[in-house]
Amino acid sequence: MRYATAALVTTLFLITSRPAAAIDTLCDPSFQNCRTQLLSLIDNENQEIDVGFWFMEDSTYVNHIVSRFNAGVRVRLLVDTRGSNSSPYNQGILDSFAKDGVPMRTRTASAILHWKMMLFGGQHVVEFSGANYSDNAWRPVSAYTNYIDESIYFTDDPGIVESFMRKFDDSWIDTSNYADYANINNPLVRSYPMYSIDPDMNFPPGSSYATRAINLYNNEPAAIDVLMYRITQESHADAMVAAVKRGVPVRLITEPNEYRDPTRLWDAWNVDRMWKGGVQVRMRAHQGLSHQKTVILHGQHTVIFGSSNWSSPSDNSQQEHNYFVANKSAMYTWFVNQFTRKWTNSTGNTETKAFTPLPPDPPKNEHPKNDGTGYSPSSVTLQWYGGPWAHYYDIYLSTSSSPTTKIAADKHLGPSETTTQLQKYTVSGLKPHTTYYWKIVGKTAAGKTATGPVWSFTTGS
């Protein structure tokens, strides 16, 4: 390993009630080179390599996998061409595999393939995590200061490996949700027996991630710690706030880029709601990205980790893989130590920082037009652009040029999800031939405010 710390156990050998596993390791790319172990598995495989990924950027994997393919090892790839919209390098990777003759099938269902896994049939080992196959997702640019938060898992635990064998085969022969992409010259057949799915594994779609996870949240008696990249599904946030209300402390580390990404505007809504509801929140402070998806349930000695974000697509439409670990105490300890290090910045490096909720953008008035005249006193609809971050609005209207009369408070009219979506509020019973002044104050779910301009209009008869 390239880096070491006394606070962490970096290689994990677990003794459990399951059949004995010789390999059961977690790797932390904040300070370890996790790619080395994966390349070793590739290079030592003599039977079959099965890979499923959302996108790949590191051509090192291509070179090593193609080398084994040319040596006679069977290789199968499940891919999703839409991953090239997220990575400018993915299409080149797909082209390289296709050119070298590797059989590939692509997901065509409306929801994406979000897997990040490699399966080694001859060694009976599987690797999976939330880490895309990018160089900086598998080893740090600089330890603890420039890295991507992940927890990368390698195991030969029979139940876990055989679950992936079953699910990979299911997808490989699926002609409803997959299509041939390259080098499919033989009938689509299974490589492995029809194994059952281990009860600790969760494979959306068809098996809800949120339902299973939230049931555990609701039964947690002690404490919950969360590392979560994207939070756009309300039910997870609701469960965290409910846990705090019943006296269970909740701590969250999340990604600042997602918090103010206008294409993921519900992330800010949920983070703000949790913060206001008493969840302790910290944000990534190191260079890189907080891409991990981990929940630690302390009273149940359970860890949930894998590829699912707290989002509706990750719940039960995208193809995901998640592990609900309740019977591996050393794995629980590993995740607790990792979270604690990041939360407390115990290495002396600033990995996380306290969260400060941001205000919304100031509202922009649209109608009635400033200094407009002749509006009906019976009914005037105020319209404004609230922006992506405000959810609640205070509405002021009076005959004073500095309106202080609040005619509506905390109107939950939501954000503007497009640049043309306006918020509206109708006032009635106005006096004729009277000039009115109005303004809007936008509020986030955390209660942070921004005030729009004062405009006026004059009623007619």
Side-chain angles (χ1 to χ4, degrees):
M1 66 190 69
R2 289 167 49 179
Y3 307 100
T5 173
L8 287 172
V9 178
T10 59
T11 303
L12 182 63
F13 293 88
L14 305 179
I15 300 173
T16 73
S17 59
R18 294 173 176 275
I23 301 173
D24 218 28
T25 69
L26 283 156
C27 189
D28 186 341
S30 65
F31 68 99
Q32 289 180 274
N33 185 345
C34 303
R35 191 177 71 169
T36 301
Q37 186 171 352
L38 186 59
L39 294 178
S40 178
L41 286 165
I42 295 171
D43 294 343
N44 286 290
E45 181 55 42
N46 293 313
Q47 178 177 314
E48 178 161 348
I49 301 172
D50 296 321
V51 187
F53 60 89
W54 168 228
F55 66 76
M56 184 178 289
E57 297 183 323
D58 188 350
S59 61
T60 303
Y61 297 116
V62 179
N63 298 334
H64 284 252
I65 291 170
V66 169
S67 176
R68 299 312 299 146
F69 177 70
N70 290 336
V73 173
R74 187 182 188 196
V75 176
R76 301 184 296 175
L77 303 186
L78 292 175
V79 303
D80 194 318
T81 57
R82 292 165 291 191
S84 298
N85 298 326
S86 296
S87 167
Y89 306 105
N90 185 64
Q91 190 58 51
I93 296 290
L94 300 183
D95 293 344
S96 293
F97 277 125
K99 174 180 66 67
D100 288 316
V102 175
M104 306 166 68
R105 304 201 72 222
T106 185
R107 185 166 169 85
T108 56
S110 58
I112 66 170
L113 170 68
H114 202 229
W115 277 6
K116 305 97 165 40
M117 56 76 62
M118 291 195 190
L119 175 61
F120 303 94
Q123 298 168 86
H124 211 79
V125 171
V126 67
E127 170 276 317
F128 67 96
S129 71
N132 293 297
Y133 293 105
S134 307
D135 182 45
N136 60 350
W138 282 74
R139 54 183 185 171
V141 177
S142 58
Y144 304 118
T145 62
N146 190 351
Y147 66 90
I148 296 180
D149 291 75
E150 302 287 2
S151 52
I152 299 170
Y153 183 48
F154 302 84
T155 188
D156 63 357
D157 184 319
I160 307 306
V161 175
E162 290 165 5
S163 294
F164 275 95
M165 287 176 168
R166 168 64 183 274
K167 295 303 291 187
F168 196 99
D169 272 352
D170 288 349
S171 294
W172 186 255
I173 66 173
D174 183 348
T175 56
S176 298
N177 299 295
Y178 280 85
D180 296 347
Y181 183 79
N183 307 309
I184 304 298
N185 303 315
N186 297 304
L188 301 172
V189 297
R190 293 180 177 273
S191 286
Y192 309 107
M194 289 277 289
Y195 293 116
S196 59
I197 304 301
D198 189 284
D200 289 344
M201 291 302 302
N202 165 252
F203 289 102
S207 179
S208 171
Y209 167 76
T211 299
R212 182 170 181 177
I214 291 168
N215 182 60
L216 292 177
Y217 309 158
N218 292 342
N219 286 285
E220 174 54 37
I224 303 173
D225 289 333
V226 183
L227 284 144
M228 192 58 58
Y229 172 60
R230 178 174 299 148
I231 306 172
T232 55
Q233 189 173 22
E234 288 188 34
S235 54
H236 293 278
D238 291 343
M240 295 301 110
V241 173
V244 173
K245 286 183 177 178
R246 67 174 186 269
V248 175
V250 178
R251 300 185 295 180
L252 167 68
I253 298 172
T254 190
E255 171 55 41
N257 292 347
E258 290 292 298
Y259 177 67
R260 278 300 162 101
D261 181 349
T263 67
R264 310 286 185 187
L265 54 85
W266 294 100
D267 186 279
W269 156 255
N270 285 304
V271 173
D272 283 346
R273 288 195 308 120
M274 286 189 284
W275 176 84
K276 191 171 184 180
V279 173
Q280 303 169 64
V281 182
R282 293 182 71 82
M283 286 282 184
R284 170 187 60 80
H286 63 80
Q287 301 174 62
L289 195 70
S290 182
H291 192 249
Q292 195 165 340
K293 308 98 167 51
T294 299
V295 182
I296 306 169
L297 300 153
H298 290 268
Q300 300 170 77
H301 265 63
T302 295
V303 177
I304 308 167
F305 75 98
S307 63
S308 282
N309 291 296
W310 282 359
S311 70
S312 296
S314 279
D315 173 22
N316 201 15
S317 60
Q318 292 179 177
Q319 193 164 347
E320 307 274 6
H321 46 57
N322 302 293
Y323 190 10
F324 286 67
V325 191
N327 56 358
K328 293 183 174 181
S329 60
M331 183 177 287
Y332 165 79
T333 300
W334 188 96
F335 277 104
V336 169
N337 288 342
Q338 185 199 50
F339 184 92
T340 301
R341 187 203 84 216
K342 293 177 179 181
W343 186 267
T344 63
N345 295 323
S346 62
T347 67
N349 300 286
T350 305
E351 298 185 72
T352 63
K353 61 183 178 182
F355 168 64
T356 301
L358 297 176
D361 299 330
K364 297 178 181 178
N365 297 347
E366 292 287 339
H367 182 84
K369 293 303 180 183
N370 195 22
D371 297 328
T373 61
Y375 292 98
S376 170
S378 63
S379 177
V380 176
T381 298
L382 308 178
Q383 300 181 43
W384 64 94
Y385 174 73
W389 315 119
H391 288 264
Y392 303 92
Y393 302 90
D394 292 342
I395 302 161
Y396 292 81
L397 177 75
S398 71
T399 56
S400 167
S401 59
S402 298
T404 58
T405 302
K406 188 186 300 184
I407 63 170
D410 293 324
K411 294 298 295 183
H412 191 186
L413 303 178
S416 299
E417 297 191 58
T418 68
T419 57
T420 59
Q421 181 180 351
L422 302 179
Q423 287 69 34
K424 301 177 182 180
Y425 185 80
T426 299
V427 295
S428 57
L430 302 177
K431 297 177 181 179
H433 303 296
T434 301
T435 297
Y436 287 91
Y437 297 85
W438 63 287
K439 70 177 181 182
I440 305 296
V441 176
K443 298 180 179 180
T444 68
K448 303 302 177 181
T449 64
T451 302
V454 176
W455 277 18
S456 69
F457 66 90
T458 301
T459 56
S461 59

